[in-house]
């Protein structure tokens, strides 16, 4: 079985937030999906972090406010 290389993670910061691809609004925190499922209030802070994970065949992109940036990406952000 071939060994799959680890995904490449890039973390970006923009104080003004990240505009959606269609330019209609700023991106919301990616965590809002999980917050809604858990019954927690939605995050209303500006998503100032963008995390791009390159898995080889596809990319995943997440947007996060300072408080919700996942711990595993904090070292990338430093």
């Amino acid at each position: 079985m071939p060994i799959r290389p680890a995904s490449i993670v890039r973390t970006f910061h923009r104080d003004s937030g990240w505009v959606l691809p269609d330019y209609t609004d700023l991106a919301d925190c990616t965590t809002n999906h999980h917050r809604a499922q858990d019954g927690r209030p939605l995050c209303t802070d500006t998503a100032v972090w963008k995390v791009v994970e390159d898995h080889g065949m596809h990319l995943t992109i997440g947007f996060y406010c300072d408080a919700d940036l996942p711990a595993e990406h904090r070292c990338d952000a430093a």
Side-chain angles (χ1 to χ4, degrees), residues 42-63:
L42 297 181
C43 176
T44 57
D45 292 342
T46 302
V48 294
W49 293 101
K50 177 169 83 170
V51 177
V52 179
E53 296 181 61
D54 184 344
H55 302 278
M57 295 292 286
H58 70 279
L59 295 175
T60 56
I61 302 173
F63 299 96

Side-chain angles (χ1 to χ4, degrees), residues 18 20 30 53 73-74:
W18 296 91
L20 293 172
T30 298
E53 296 181 61
H73 300 306
R74 289 206 178 270

